[in-house]
Amino acid sequence: MRACERESVGRANLHAEPIGGTVAGRVCKFAHPTARPKRWLLVAGALLLTLAAAGTAAAADVALPLKLSLGVEGTSDPRELTGTLQILLFFTLLTMLPALLLTMSSFTRIIIVLSFVRRALSLQTMPPNQVMIGLALFLTMFTMAPVWTDISKNAVEPYRAGAIDQATAFDEATRAVRGFMLRQTREKDLALFVHLARMERPKGPEDVPTHVLIPAFVTSELKTAFQMGFVIFLPFLVIDMVVSSVLTSMGMFMLPPVVISVPFKILLFVLVDGWHLILRSLAMSFA
Protein backbone atom coordinates (compact mmCIF):
# COMPACT_ATOMS: atom_id res chain seq x y z
CA MET A 1 0.00 0.00 0.00
CA ARG A 2 2.85 2.39 0.75
CA ALA A 3 4.25 1.72 -2.71
CA CYS A 4 0.87 2.52 -4.26
CA GLU A 5 0.54 5.79 -2.25
CA ARG A 6 4.06 6.74 -3.22
CA GLU A 7 3.27 6.10 -6.88
CA SER A 8 -0.02 8.04 -6.71
CA VAL A 9 1.85 11.02 -5.30
CA GLY A 10 4.26 10.68 -8.18
CA ARG A 11 1.38 10.77 -10.65
CA ALA A 12 0.01 13.97 -9.04
CA ASN A 13 3.30 15.73 -9.45
CA LEU A 14 3.22 15.80 -13.26
CA HIS A 15 5.83 18.51 -13.64
CA ALA A 16 8.44 16.72 -11.56
CA GLU A 17 8.06 13.13 -12.88
CA PRO A 18 5.77 12.94 -15.93
CA ILE A 19 6.95 9.51 -17.14
CA GLY A 20 7.80 7.70 -13.95
CA GLY A 21 4.31 8.22 -12.54
CA THR A 22 2.68 6.60 -15.54
CA VAL A 23 4.91 3.49 -15.41
CA ALA A 24 4.44 3.21 -11.66
CA GLY A 25 0.70 3.52 -12.08
CA ARG A 26 0.73 0.57 -14.45
CA VAL A 27 2.74 -1.43 -11.94
CA CYS A 28 0.27 -0.65 -9.17
CA LYS A 29 -2.63 -1.49 -11.47
CA PHE A 30 -1.36 -5.08 -11.88
CA ALA A 31 -0.10 -5.48 -8.31
CA HIS A 32 -3.42 -6.51 -6.68
CA PRO A 33 -4.81 -9.04 -9.31
CA THR A 34 -1.63 -11.17 -9.14
CA ALA A 35 -2.24 -11.86 -5.47
CA ARG A 36 -5.95 -12.73 -5.81
CA PRO A 37 -5.61 -16.11 -7.69
CA LYS A 38 -3.38 -17.41 -4.92
CA ARG A 39 -6.03 -16.63 -2.33
CA TRP A 40 -8.74 -18.30 -4.40
CA LEU A 41 -6.60 -21.42 -4.82
CA LEU A 42 -6.14 -21.65 -1.07
CA VAL A 43 -9.88 -21.24 -0.48
CA ALA A 44 -10.75 -23.88 -3.14
CA GLY A 45 -8.26 -26.37 -1.64
CA ALA A 46 -9.75 -25.88 1.82
CA LEU A 47 -13.26 -26.49 0.47
CA LEU A 48 -12.18 -29.69 -1.31
CA LEU A 49 -10.53 -31.03 1.85
CA THR A 50 -13.68 -30.26 3.83
CA LEU A 51 -15.92 -32.03 1.30
CA ALA A 52 -13.64 -35.08 1.19
CA ALA A 53 -13.65 -35.38 4.97
CA ALA A 54 -17.42 -35.06 5.04
CA GLY A 55 -17.82 -37.75 2.35
CA THR A 56 -15.53 -40.14 4.23
CA ALA A 57 -17.50 -39.66 7.42
CA ALA A 58 -20.81 -40.21 5.60
CA ALA A 59 -19.51 -43.38 3.95
CA ALA A 60 -18.37 -44.70 7.30
CA ASP A 61 -21.88 -44.22 8.73
CA VAL A 62 -23.59 -46.14 5.84
CA ALA A 63 -24.00 -49.88 6.51
CA LEU A 64 -23.41 -52.14 3.50
CA PRO A 65 -26.00 -54.90 2.95
CA LEU A 66 -23.38 -57.58 2.12
CA LYS A 67 -20.19 -58.80 3.68
CA LEU A 68 -17.61 -60.57 1.54
CA SER A 69 -15.00 -62.81 3.09
CA LEU A 70 -12.52 -65.19 1.49
CA GLY A 71 -10.87 -68.06 3.28
CA VAL A 72 -9.86 -71.71 3.21
CA GLU A 73 -11.55 -73.98 5.72
CA GLY A 74 -11.54 -77.70 6.28
CA THR A 75 -14.58 -79.88 5.68
CA SER A 76 -15.63 -83.29 6.85
CA ASP A 77 -18.26 -83.78 4.11
CA PRO A 78 -16.76 -85.24 0.89
CA ARG A 79 -19.71 -83.96 -1.13
CA GLU A 80 -18.72 -80.34 -0.50
CA LEU A 81 -15.22 -81.01 -1.83
CA THR A 82 -16.65 -82.86 -4.83
CA GLY A 83 -18.92 -79.94 -5.68
CA THR A 84 -16.04 -77.49 -5.48
CA LEU A 85 -13.89 -79.64 -7.76
CA GLN A 86 -16.76 -79.96 -10.22
CA ILE A 87 -17.09 -76.17 -10.44
CA LEU A 88 -13.33 -75.80 -10.91
CA LEU A 89 -13.31 -78.48 -13.62
CA PHE A 90 -16.28 -76.86 -15.37
CA PHE A 91 -14.60 -73.45 -15.64
CA THR A 92 -11.35 -75.08 -16.76
CA LEU A 93 -13.13 -76.93 -19.57
CA LEU A 94 -15.00 -73.74 -20.47
CA THR A 95 -11.71 -71.96 -21.20
CA MET A 96 -10.55 -74.91 -23.31
CA LEU A 97 -13.80 -75.15 -25.28
CA PRO A 98 -12.54 -73.29 -28.41
CA ALA A 99 -9.49 -75.56 -28.63
CA LEU A 100 -11.61 -78.68 -28.14
CA LEU A 101 -14.07 -77.48 -30.78
CA LEU A 102 -11.30 -76.87 -33.31
CA THR A 103 -9.32 -80.06 -32.75
CA MET A 104 -11.82 -82.76 -31.76
CA SER A 105 -14.86 -82.10 -33.94
CA SER A 106 -15.86 -81.60 -37.56
CA PHE A 107 -15.56 -77.81 -37.32
CA THR A 108 -12.09 -77.66 -38.90
CA ARG A 109 -13.11 -79.37 -42.13
CA ILE A 110 -16.34 -77.44 -42.47
CA ILE A 111 -14.92 -73.94 -41.98
CA ILE A 112 -12.01 -74.60 -44.36
CA VAL A 113 -14.30 -75.86 -47.13
CA LEU A 114 -16.62 -72.87 -46.72
CA SER A 115 -13.61 -70.56 -46.93
CA PHE A 116 -12.56 -72.28 -50.17
CA VAL A 117 -16.04 -71.68 -51.60
CA ARG A 118 -15.85 -67.96 -50.88
CA ARG A 119 -12.35 -67.73 -52.31
CA ALA A 120 -13.31 -69.66 -55.46
CA LEU A 121 -16.16 -67.24 -56.09
CA SER A 122 -13.69 -64.31 -55.76
CA LEU A 123 -15.86 -62.84 -53.02
CA GLN A 124 -13.78 -61.48 -50.16
CA THR A 125 -16.51 -60.59 -47.67
CA MET A 126 -19.61 -62.38 -48.96
CA PRO A 127 -20.92 -64.21 -47.06
CA PRO A 128 -19.63 -62.32 -44.00
CA ASN A 129 -17.39 -64.04 -41.48
CA GLN A 130 -20.16 -64.12 -38.88
CA VAL A 131 -22.44 -66.01 -41.25
CA MET A 132 -19.69 -68.45 -42.22
CA ILE A 133 -18.77 -69.23 -38.61
CA GLY A 134 -22.42 -69.53 -37.57
CA LEU A 135 -23.15 -71.93 -40.42
CA ALA A 136 -20.05 -73.96 -39.57
CA LEU A 137 -21.06 -74.16 -35.90
CA PHE A 138 -24.58 -75.39 -36.60
CA LEU A 139 -23.36 -77.85 -39.20
CA THR A 140 -20.85 -79.10 -36.63
CA MET A 141 -23.67 -79.60 -34.14
CA PHE A 142 -25.59 -81.52 -36.81
CA THR A 143 -22.73 -83.83 -37.76
CA MET A 144 -21.64 -84.38 -34.15
CA ALA A 145 -25.17 -85.05 -32.86
CA PRO A 146 -24.74 -88.88 -32.78
CA VAL A 147 -21.56 -88.51 -30.73
CA TRP A 148 -23.17 -86.15 -28.26
CA THR A 149 -26.20 -88.41 -27.99
CA ASP A 150 -23.90 -91.29 -27.16
CA ILE A 151 -22.14 -89.20 -24.50
CA SER A 152 -25.43 -88.12 -22.97
CA LYS A 153 -26.81 -91.66 -22.93
CA ASN A 154 -23.75 -93.54 -21.64
CA ALA A 155 -21.94 -90.90 -19.57
CA VAL A 156 -24.01 -87.91 -18.46
CA GLU A 157 -27.34 -89.56 -17.58
CA PRO A 158 -25.84 -92.52 -15.67
CA TYR A 159 -23.58 -90.16 -13.73
CA ARG A 160 -26.46 -87.88 -12.77
CA ALA A 161 -28.45 -90.92 -11.68
CA GLY A 162 -25.55 -92.07 -9.49
CA ALA A 163 -24.99 -95.31 -11.39
CA ILE A 164 -21.36 -94.52 -12.29
CA ASP A 165 -18.63 -92.35 -10.83
CA GLN A 166 -16.78 -89.43 -12.45
CA ALA A 167 -13.91 -91.53 -13.77
CA THR A 168 -16.24 -93.94 -15.52
CA ALA A 169 -18.31 -91.08 -16.99
CA PHE A 170 -15.17 -89.42 -18.31
CA ASP A 171 -13.99 -92.69 -19.88
CA GLU A 172 -17.35 -93.20 -21.60
CA ALA A 173 -17.36 -89.65 -22.99
CA THR A 174 -13.78 -90.01 -24.20
CA ARG A 175 -14.62 -93.33 -25.84
CA ALA A 176 -17.39 -91.74 -27.92
CA VAL A 177 -15.20 -88.85 -29.08
CA ARG A 178 -12.26 -91.17 -29.82
CA GLY A 179 -14.51 -93.38 -31.93
CA PHE A 180 -15.50 -90.39 -34.05
CA MET A 181 -11.90 -89.27 -34.51
CA LEU A 182 -10.69 -92.77 -35.36
CA ARG A 183 -13.29 -93.09 -38.12
CA GLN A 184 -12.08 -89.85 -39.73
CA THR A 185 -8.32 -90.40 -39.27
CA ARG A 186 -6.19 -91.93 -42.00
CA GLU A 187 -3.97 -94.81 -41.03
CA LYS A 188 -0.98 -93.09 -42.62
CA ASP A 189 -1.38 -89.99 -40.45
CA LEU A 190 -1.89 -92.09 -37.34
CA ALA A 191 1.25 -94.09 -38.09
CA LEU A 192 3.20 -90.86 -38.51
CA PHE A 193 2.43 -89.61 -35.01
CA VAL A 194 2.89 -93.06 -33.49
CA HIS A 195 6.37 -93.02 -35.01
CA LEU A 196 7.04 -89.47 -33.80
CA ALA A 197 5.97 -90.45 -30.29
CA ARG A 198 8.51 -93.31 -30.36
CA MET A 199 6.04 -95.80 -29.02
CA GLU A 200 5.39 -99.41 -29.89
CA ARG A 201 2.94 -100.30 -32.61
CA PRO A 202 -0.56 -100.34 -31.07
CA LYS A 203 -2.38 -103.65 -31.21
CA GLY A 204 -5.74 -101.98 -31.81
CA PRO A 205 -7.48 -98.58 -31.96
CA GLU A 206 -8.15 -98.64 -28.21
CA ASP A 207 -4.38 -98.75 -27.56
CA VAL A 208 -3.72 -95.45 -29.35
CA PRO A 209 -3.18 -92.66 -26.78
CA THR A 210 -5.43 -89.63 -27.05
CA HIS A 211 -2.49 -87.21 -27.29
CA VAL A 212 -1.37 -89.12 -30.41
CA LEU A 213 -4.83 -89.45 -31.91
CA ILE A 214 -5.74 -85.75 -31.78
CA PRO A 215 -2.91 -84.38 -34.01
CA ALA A 216 -3.38 -87.28 -36.43
CA PHE A 217 -7.09 -86.44 -36.64
CA VAL A 218 -6.40 -82.75 -37.28
CA THR A 219 -3.90 -83.62 -40.02
CA SER A 220 -6.42 -85.87 -41.74
CA GLU A 221 -9.09 -83.17 -41.49
CA LEU A 222 -6.81 -80.62 -43.12
CA LYS A 223 -5.99 -82.99 -45.98
CA THR A 224 -9.65 -83.86 -46.58
CA ALA A 225 -10.68 -80.19 -46.49
CA PHE A 226 -8.03 -79.20 -49.03
CA GLN A 227 -9.04 -82.03 -51.33
CA MET A 228 -12.65 -80.85 -51.26
CA GLY A 229 -11.51 -77.27 -51.79
CA PHE A 230 -9.52 -78.26 -54.89
CA VAL A 231 -12.57 -79.94 -56.42
CA ILE A 232 -14.63 -76.82 -55.70
CA PHE A 233 -12.01 -74.57 -57.30
CA LEU A 234 -11.84 -76.41 -60.65
CA PRO A 235 -15.04 -75.17 -62.39
CA PHE A 236 -14.46 -71.59 -61.30
CA LEU A 237 -10.85 -71.79 -62.49
CA VAL A 238 -12.13 -72.77 -65.94
CA ILE A 239 -14.37 -69.69 -65.98
CA ASP A 240 -11.42 -67.45 -65.08
CA MET A 241 -9.31 -68.94 -67.86
CA VAL A 242 -12.05 -68.56 -70.48
CA VAL A 243 -12.79 -64.95 -69.53
CA SER A 244 -9.10 -64.06 -69.48
CA SER A 245 -8.55 -65.61 -72.93
CA VAL A 246 -11.53 -63.78 -74.43
CA LEU A 247 -10.43 -60.42 -73.03
CA THR A 248 -6.88 -60.95 -74.27
CA SER A 249 -8.07 -61.87 -77.78
CA MET A 250 -10.23 -58.74 -77.87
CA GLY A 251 -7.30 -56.57 -76.84
CA MET A 252 -8.93 -55.46 -73.59
CA PHE A 253 -5.75 -55.67 -71.53
CA MET A 254 -6.71 -52.91 -69.10
CA LEU A 255 -9.97 -54.58 -68.01
CA PRO A 256 -9.45 -56.94 -65.01
CA PRO A 257 -10.83 -60.42 -65.79
CA VAL A 258 -12.33 -60.65 -62.28
CA VAL A 259 -14.83 -57.92 -63.12
CA ILE A 260 -16.30 -60.11 -65.88
CA SER A 261 -15.80 -63.55 -64.34
CA VAL A 262 -17.45 -62.91 -60.94
CA PRO A 263 -21.02 -62.54 -62.33
CA PHE A 264 -20.60 -65.74 -64.35
CA LYS A 265 -19.28 -67.59 -61.29
CA ILE A 266 -22.24 -66.49 -59.17
CA LEU A 267 -24.63 -67.42 -61.99
CA LEU A 268 -23.12 -70.90 -62.29
CA PHE A 269 -23.15 -71.37 -58.50
CA VAL A 270 -26.82 -70.43 -58.29
CA LEU A 271 -27.89 -72.54 -61.28
CA VAL A 272 -26.35 -75.73 -59.91
CA ASP A 273 -27.65 -74.98 -56.37
CA GLY A 274 -24.12 -74.79 -55.02
CA TRP A 275 -24.93 -74.37 -51.33
CA HIS A 276 -27.10 -77.48 -51.40
CA LEU A 277 -24.35 -79.52 -53.04
CA ILE A 278 -21.60 -78.28 -50.71
CA LEU A 279 -23.52 -78.72 -47.46
CA ARG A 280 -24.73 -82.15 -48.60
CA SER A 281 -21.18 -83.20 -49.45
CA LEU A 282 -19.89 -81.95 -46.10
CA ALA A 283 -22.56 -83.77 -44.13
CA MET A 284 -22.10 -87.02 -46.06
CA SER A 285 -18.31 -86.89 -45.70
CA PHE A 286 -18.71 -87.62 -41.98
CA ALA A 287 -21.11 -90.55 -42.49
PDB file of all heavy atoms in Angstrom, residues 114-132:
ATOM      1  N   LEU A 114     -15.827 -74.076 -46.482  1.00  0.00           N
ATOM      2  CA  LEU A 114     -16.618 -72.868 -46.723  1.00  0.00           C
ATOM      3  C   LEU A 114     -15.720 -71.697 -47.116  1.00  0.00           C
ATOM      4  O   LEU A 114     -16.102 -70.870 -47.955  1.00  0.00           O
ATOM      5  CB  LEU A 114     -17.434 -72.523 -45.478  1.00  0.00           C
ATOM      6  CG  LEU A 114     -18.544 -73.514 -45.099  1.00  0.00           C
ATOM      7  CD1 LEU A 114     -19.266 -73.056 -43.850  1.00  0.00           C
ATOM      8  CD2 LEU A 114     -19.535 -73.706 -46.243  1.00  0.00           C
ATOM      9  N   SER A 115     -14.548 -71.615 -46.540  1.00  0.00           N
ATOM     10  CA  SER A 115     -13.605 -70.560 -46.930  1.00  0.00           C
ATOM     11  C   SER A 115     -13.132 -70.756 -48.368  1.00  0.00           C
ATOM     12  O   SER A 115     -12.964 -69.783 -49.116  1.00  0.00           O
ATOM     13  CB  SER A 115     -12.411 -70.551 -45.977  1.00  0.00           C
ATOM     14  OG  SER A 115     -12.824 -70.311 -44.649  1.00  0.00           O
ATOM     15  N   PHE A 116     -12.930 -72.009 -48.777  1.00  0.00           N
ATOM     16  CA  PHE A 116     -12.563 -72.282 -50.166  1.00  0.00           C
ATOM     17  C   PHE A 116     -13.679 -71.855 -51.118  1.00  0.00           C
ATOM     18  O   PHE A 116     -13.407 -71.351 -52.221  1.00  0.00           O
ATOM     19  CB  PHE A 116     -12.262 -73.765 -50.344  1.00  0.00           C
ATOM     20  CG  PHE A 116     -10.826 -74.125 -50.180  1.00  0.00           C
ATOM     21  CD1 PHE A 116     -10.386 -74.840 -49.086  1.00  0.00           C
ATOM     22  CD2 PHE A 116      -9.890 -73.748 -51.131  1.00  0.00           C
ATOM     23  CE1 PHE A 116      -9.055 -75.168 -48.926  1.00  0.00           C
ATOM     24  CE2 PHE A 116      -8.554 -74.069 -50.991  1.00  0.00           C
ATOM     25  CZ  PHE A 116      -8.130 -74.781 -49.874  1.00  0.00           C
ATOM     26  N   VAL A 117     -14.907 -72.070 -50.731  1.00  0.00           N
ATOM     27  CA  VAL A 117     -16.038 -71.678 -51.597  1.00  0.00           C
ATOM     28  C   VAL A 117     -16.023 -70.169 -51.820  1.00  0.00           C
ATOM     29  O   VAL A 117     -16.158 -69.680 -52.955  1.00  0.00           O
ATOM     30  CB  VAL A 117     -17.363 -72.129 -50.964  1.00  0.00           C
ATOM     31  CG1 VAL A 117     -18.544 -71.565 -51.744  1.00  0.00           C
ATOM     32  CG2 VAL A 117     -17.440 -73.641 -50.929  1.00  0.00           C
ATOM     33  N   ARG A 118     -15.859 -69.421 -50.741  1.00  0.00           N
ATOM     34  CA  ARG A 118     -15.851 -67.963 -50.878  1.00  0.00           C
ATOM     35  C   ARG A 118     -14.670 -67.485 -51.702  1.00  0.00           C
ATOM     36  O   ARG A 118     -14.787 -66.544 -52.496  1.00  0.00           O
ATOM     37  CB  ARG A 118     -15.835 -67.312 -49.491  1.00  0.00           C
ATOM     38  CG  ARG A 118     -15.982 -65.804 -49.518  1.00  0.00           C
ATOM     39  CD  ARG A 118     -16.232 -65.229 -48.149  1.00  0.00           C
ATOM     40  NE  ARG A 118     -15.078 -65.410 -47.269  1.00  0.00           N
ATOM     41  CZ  ARG A 118     -15.029 -64.955 -46.018  1.00  0.00           C
ATOM     42  NH1 ARG A 118     -16.085 -64.330 -45.506  1.00  0.00           N
ATOM     43  NH2 ARG A 118     -13.962 -65.153 -45.279  1.00  0.00           N
ATOM     44  N   ARG A 119     -13.538 -68.130 -51.534  1.00  0.00           N
ATOM     45  CA  ARG A 119     -12.349 -67.732 -52.309  1.00  0.00           C
ATOM     46  C   ARG A 119     -12.501 -68.111 -53.779  1.00  0.00           C
ATOM     47  O   ARG A 119     -12.063 -67.364 -54.664  1.00  0.00           O
ATOM     48  CB  ARG A 119     -11.116 -68.423 -51.713  1.00  0.00           C
ATOM     49  CG  ARG A 119      -9.814 -68.000 -52.359  1.00  0.00           C
ATOM     50  CD  ARG A 119      -9.524 -66.550 -52.052  1.00  0.00           C
ATOM     51  NE  ARG A 119      -8.308 -66.098 -52.729  1.00  0.00           N
ATOM     52  CZ  ARG A 119      -8.275 -65.599 -53.950  1.00  0.00           C
ATOM     53  NH1 ARG A 119      -9.406 -65.491 -54.649  1.00  0.00           N
ATOM     54  NH2 ARG A 119      -7.140 -65.187 -54.483  1.00  0.00           N
ATOM     55  N   ALA A 120     -13.119 -69.255 -54.072  1.00  0.00           N
ATOM     56  CA  ALA A 120     -13.307 -69.659 -55.464  1.00  0.00           C
ATOM     57  C   ALA A 120     -14.257 -68.723 -56.191  1.00  0.00           C
ATOM     58  O   ALA A 120     -14.103 -68.480 -57.399  1.00  0.00           O
ATOM     59  CB  ALA A 120     -13.830 -71.092 -55.525  1.00  0.00           C
ATOM     60  N   LEU A 121     -15.225 -68.175 -55.480  1.00  0.00           N
ATOM     61  CA  LEU A 121     -16.162 -67.235 -56.088  1.00  0.00           C
ATOM     62  C   LEU A 121     -15.586 -65.834 -56.220  1.00  0.00           C
ATOM     63  O   LEU A 121     -16.276 -64.944 -56.732  1.00  0.00           O
ATOM     64  CB  LEU A 121     -17.454 -67.173 -55.261  1.00  0.00           C
ATOM     65  CG  LEU A 121     -18.342 -68.414 -55.308  1.00  0.00           C
ATOM     66  CD1 LEU A 121     -19.464 -68.303 -54.294  1.00  0.00           C
ATOM     67  CD2 LEU A 121     -18.903 -68.625 -56.698  1.00  0.00           C
ATOM     68  N   SER A 122     -14.342 -65.631 -55.736  1.00  0.00           N
ATOM     69  CA  SER A 122     -13.687 -64.315 -55.762  1.00  0.00           C
ATOM     70  C   SER A 122     -14.470 -63.279 -54.972  1.00  0.00           C
ATOM     71  O   SER A 122     -14.472 -62.089 -55.312  1.00  0.00           O
ATOM     72  CB  SER A 122     -13.491 -63.834 -57.216  1.00  0.00           C
ATOM     73  OG  SER A 122     -12.695 -64.750 -57.942  1.00  0.00           O
ATOM     74  N   LEU A 123     -15.123 -63.723 -53.917  1.00  0.00           N
ATOM     75  CA  LEU A 123     -15.857 -62.837 -53.022  1.00  0.00           C
ATOM     76  C   LEU A 123     -15.104 -62.779 -51.700  1.00  0.00           C
ATOM     77  O   LEU A 123     -14.972 -63.788 -51.009  1.00  0.00           O
ATOM     78  CB  LEU A 123     -17.284 -63.343 -52.799  1.00  0.00           C
ATOM     79  CG  LEU A 123     -18.141 -63.498 -54.068  1.00  0.00           C
ATOM     80  CD1 LEU A 123     -19.471 -64.124 -53.718  1.00  0.00           C
ATOM     81  CD2 LEU A 123     -18.343 -62.143 -54.734  1.00  0.00           C
ATOM     82  N   GLN A 124     -14.619 -61.599 -51.346  1.00  0.00           N
ATOM     83  CA  GLN A 124     -13.782 -61.476 -50.163  1.00  0.00           C
ATOM     84  C   GLN A 124     -14.584 -61.422 -48.872  1.00  0.00           C
ATOM     85  O   GLN A 124     -14.154 -61.950 -47.840  1.00  0.00           O
ATOM     86  CB  GLN A 124     -12.912 -60.213 -50.281  1.00  0.00           C
ATOM     87  CG  GLN A 124     -12.034 -60.194 -51.523  1.00  0.00           C
ATOM     88  CD  GLN A 124     -11.057 -61.355 -51.555  1.00  0.00           C
ATOM     89  OE1 GLN A 124     -10.579 -61.798 -50.518  1.00  0.00           O
ATOM     90  NE2 GLN A 124     -10.751 -61.846 -52.744  1.00  0.00           N
ATOM     91  N   THR A 125     -15.735 -60.787 -48.904  1.00  0.00           N
ATOM     92  CA  THR A 125     -16.511 -60.593 -47.669  1.00  0.00           C
ATOM     93  C   THR A 125     -17.941 -61.096 -47.789  1.00  0.00           C
ATOM     94  O   THR A 125     -18.768 -60.774 -46.930  1.00  0.00           O
ATOM     95  CB  THR A 125     -16.528 -59.098 -47.291  1.00  0.00           C
ATOM     96  OG1 THR A 125     -17.094 -58.341 -48.361  1.00  0.00           O
ATOM     97  CG2 THR A 125     -15.127 -58.611 -46.985  1.00  0.00           C
ATOM     98  N   MET A 126     -18.258 -61.850 -48.779  1.00  0.00           N
ATOM     99  CA  MET A 126     -19.610 -62.379 -48.956  1.00  0.00           C
ATOM    100  C   MET A 126     -19.539 -63.893 -49.129  1.00  0.00           C
ATOM    101  O   MET A 126     -18.871 -64.364 -50.061  1.00  0.00           O
ATOM    102  CB  MET A 126     -20.279 -61.745 -50.182  1.00  0.00           C
ATOM    103  CG  MET A 126     -20.585 -60.278 -50.025  1.00  0.00           C
ATOM    104  SD  MET A 126     -21.727 -59.937 -48.681  1.00  0.00           S
ATOM    105  CE  MET A 126     -23.198 -60.716 -49.316  1.00  0.00           C
ATOM    106  N   PRO A 127     -20.200 -64.643 -48.248  1.00  0.00           N
ATOM    107  CA  PRO A 127     -20.920 -64.211 -47.063  1.00  0.00           C
ATOM    108  C   PRO A 127     -19.978 -63.679 -45.973  1.00  0.00           C
ATOM    109  O   PRO A 127     -18.798 -64.031 -45.970  1.00  0.00           O
ATOM    110  CB  PRO A 127     -21.615 -65.507 -46.590  1.00  0.00           C
ATOM    111  CG  PRO A 127     -21.542 -66.452 -47.743  1.00  0.00           C
ATOM    112  CD  PRO A 127     -20.305 -66.096 -48.493  1.00  0.00           C
ATOM    113  N   PRO A 128     -20.484 -62.867 -45.057  1.00  0.00           N
ATOM    114  CA  PRO A 128     -19.629 -62.315 -43.999  1.00  0.00           C
ATOM    115  C   PRO A 128     -19.068 -63.414 -43.095  1.00  0.00           C
ATOM    116  O   PRO A 128     -19.569 -64.549 -43.061  1.00  0.00           O
ATOM    117  CB  PRO A 128     -20.577 -61.382 -43.228  1.00  0.00           C
ATOM    118  CG  PRO A 128     -21.702 -61.104 -44.156  1.00  0.00           C
ATOM    119  CD  PRO A 128     -21.851 -62.322 -45.007  1.00  0.00           C
ATOM    120  N   ASN A 129     -18.028 -63.063 -42.361  1.00  0.00           N
ATOM    121  CA  ASN A 129     -17.391 -64.035 -41.479  1.00  0.00           C
ATOM    122  C   ASN A 129     -18.347 -64.555 -40.410  1.00  0.00           C
ATOM    123  O   ASN A 129     -18.294 -65.731 -40.030  1.00  0.00           O
ATOM    124  CB  ASN A 129     -16.164 -63.401 -40.810  1.00  0.00           C
ATOM    125  CG  ASN A 129     -15.041 -63.139 -41.789  1.00  0.00           C
ATOM    126  OD1 ASN A 129     -14.893 -63.851 -42.776  1.00  0.00           O
ATOM    127  ND2 ASN A 129     -14.251 -62.122 -41.519  1.00  0.00           N
ATOM    128  N   GLN A 130     -19.217 -63.684 -39.905  1.00  0.00           N
ATOM    129  CA  GLN A 130     -20.161 -64.118 -38.880  1.00  0.00           C
ATOM    130  C   GLN A 130     -21.103 -65.189 -39.406  1.00  0.00           C
ATOM    131  O   GLN A 130     -21.419 -66.159 -38.703  1.00  0.00           O
ATOM    132  CB  GLN A 130     -20.967 -62.920 -38.346  1.00  0.00           C
ATOM    133  CG  GLN A 130     -20.149 -61.888 -37.603  1.00  0.00           C
ATOM    134  CD  GLN A 130     -19.472 -60.893 -38.514  1.00  0.00           C
ATOM    135  OE1 GLN A 130     -19.477 -61.056 -39.741  1.00  0.00           O
ATOM    136  NE2 GLN A 130     -18.879 -59.855 -37.953  1.00  0.00           N
ATOM    137  N   VAL A 131     -21.548 -65.017 -40.650  1.00  0.00           N
ATOM    138  CA  VAL A 131     -22.444 -66.012 -41.250  1.00  0.00           C
ATOM    139  C   VAL A 131     -21.705 -67.323 -41.487  1.00  0.00           C
ATOM    140  O   VAL A 131     -22.238 -68.418 -41.240  1.00  0.00           O
ATOM    141  CB  VAL A 131     -23.038 -65.457 -42.564  1.00  0.00           C
ATOM    142  CG1 VAL A 131     -23.904 -66.505 -43.244  1.00  0.00           C
ATOM    143  CG2 VAL A 131     -23.856 -64.205 -42.287  1.00  0.00           C
ATOM    144  N   MET A 132     -20.482 -67.243 -41.952  1.00  0.00           N
ATOM    145  CA  MET A 132     -19.691 -68.448 -42.217  1.00  0.00           C
ATOM    146  C   MET A 132     -19.450 -69.239 -40.931  1.00  0.00           C
ATOM    147  O   MET A 132     -19.629 -70.461 -40.886  1.00  0.00           O
ATOM    148  CB  MET A 132     -18.359 -68.051 -42.847  1.00  0.00           C
ATOM    149  CG  MET A 132     -18.471 -67.344 -44.169  1.00  0.00           C
ATOM    150  SD  MET A 132     -18.713 -68.459 -45.553  1.00  0.00           S
ATOM    151  CE  MET A 132     -17.075 -69.124 -45.712  1.00  0.00           C
TER     152      MET A 132
END
